[in-house]
Amino acid sequence: MNLLVFQSDFGLADGAVSAMHGVSYMVNPNLKIEDLTHEIKPYNIFEASYRLLQTVKYWPENTVFVSVVDPGVGSDRKSIIVKTKSNHYLVTPDNGSISHIAKFIGIESAKSIDEVNNRLPFSENSHTFHGRDIYAYNGAKLANDISYYDKLKDIDVNELVKYQIKDPKIENGQIEGSIDILDIRFGSLWTNIPLKMLEEMNIKQGDKLKVTIYNEKIKKYENEMIFGHSFADVGLGETVAYINSLINLGIAINQANFSETYQIGTGLGWKIFIRKVDL
């Protein structure tokens, strides 16, 4: 058996997550089940995609991930299982939730789940809880026996739904990137700007940076801050740029919430510009 890890936007206020666990244990009561998160912002497929990238590579090969953020539940969108080039499996709607994995890790192959035949027995009249009836059930079948994957119908990896994720770039003496996600409890901004790009611009820890943030074409923030090793490099309530756990640039306030303080969001429309300040 392999590990089974769940992610969703269901929250824990009701029995939805417990039901998915229960279905999995019905397949095999000895499965080992864990949770990535169930606090994805409702309907936010982009966030679900990013959280998989953040987490998948730290689990053993052949771990099965079930990711259910499914605003199109009951529609004609496909249900899929993909095998990544890192030898992990993702069971999810085909709605863009594999976008970050596809770009940064790679998809080796993909299978289609037959929503009529490959589902929890006697659930055919339920059309709004595929997390339980299709994804948990198929995820558990796969975790129980990885050869289950080979029995499903192949689909073309190139036909999978993916968001267009832009790379950061250097232009006119500054770095342009995006704000992909939040360090949620603390409100820090996590960008897609890697440390190596800062090094390419000769930006070192201790330098002062000018940080400008736009939502689409509307400027939302502009100020200067220190590029530090950690939050403790600045005083309480002061802003700091730092390298996060994914070795990308983060923006924070020491012991306060940057996102809430300045009303900064995340996703494809949020852009950040970084420039070294000459002293």
Side-chain angles (χ1 to χ4, degrees), residues 147-178:
S147 68
Y148 178 72
Y149 184 77
D150 298 324
K151 301 173 184 177
L152 302 177
K153 181 181 177 181
D154 290 313
I155 54 176
D156 187 345
V157 169
N158 296 316
E159 294 180 358
L160 298 176
V161 176
K162 306 180 192 72
Y163 286 111
Q164 184 180 7
I165 301 172
K166 294 184 178 180
D167 293 318
K169 62 182 180 181
I170 298 172
E171 192 171 79
N172 299 323
Q174 65 180 358
I175 302 173
E176 176 185 342
S178 61

Side-chain angles (χ1 to χ4, degrees), residues 198-263:
L198 298 171
E199 294 172 340
E200 186 177 343
M201 291 292 289
N202 196 31
I203 294 173
K204 302 181 292 295
Q205 285 166 332
D207 288 340
K208 181 173 283 189
L209 304 180
K210 182 179 180 181
V211 176
T212 308
I213 298 173
Y214 285 85
N215 183 17
E216 301 297 346
K217 296 182 179 180
I218 301 172
K219 186 186 291 186
K220 293 293 187 177
Y221 177 86
E222 186 172 75
N223 214 331
E224 296 179 358
M225 64 186 69
I226 293 296
F227 177 38
H229 288 84
S230 69
F231 314 113
D233 286 353
V234 297
L236 292 179
E238 294 183 356
T239 56
V240 62
Y242 68 102
I243 297 300
N244 67 18
S245 59
L246 298 182
I247 320 301
N248 289 337
L249 182 71
I251 305 293
I253 300 175
N254 186 13
Q255 297 190 36
N257 189 308
F258 193 102
S259 175
E260 290 182 359
T261 299
Y262 295 107
Q263 296 299 294

Side-chain angles (χ1 to χ4, degrees), residues 45-102:
I45 298 165
F46 185 91
E47 182 179 343
S49 173
Y50 190 94
R51 294 301 181 200
L52 289 170
L53 176 66
Q54 180 184 354
T55 309
V56 162
K57 60 187 175 183
Y58 297 105
W59 284 81
E61 291 188 10
N62 291 325
T63 296
V64 176
F65 290 83
V66 173
S67 179
V68 190
V69 177
D70 192 14
V73 62
S75 70
D76 60 358
R77 62 94 187 91
K78 296 184 181 69
S79 294
I80 58 172
I81 303 176
V82 302
K83 182 180 180 181
T84 73
K85 290 185 178 179
S86 59
N87 290 320
H88 299 89
Y89 293 86
L90 311 179
V91 186
T92 186
D94 183 24
N95 59 10
S97 59
I98 53 86
S99 298
H100 286 84
I101 293 291

Side-chain angles (χ1 to χ4, degrees), residues 7-13 36-42 47 184:
Q7 167 178 277
S8 76
D9 58 353
F10 295 160
L12 296 173
L36 193 164
T37 180
H38 295 288
E39 300 300 329
I40 299 293
K41 187 175 180 180
E47 182 179 343
I184 291 178

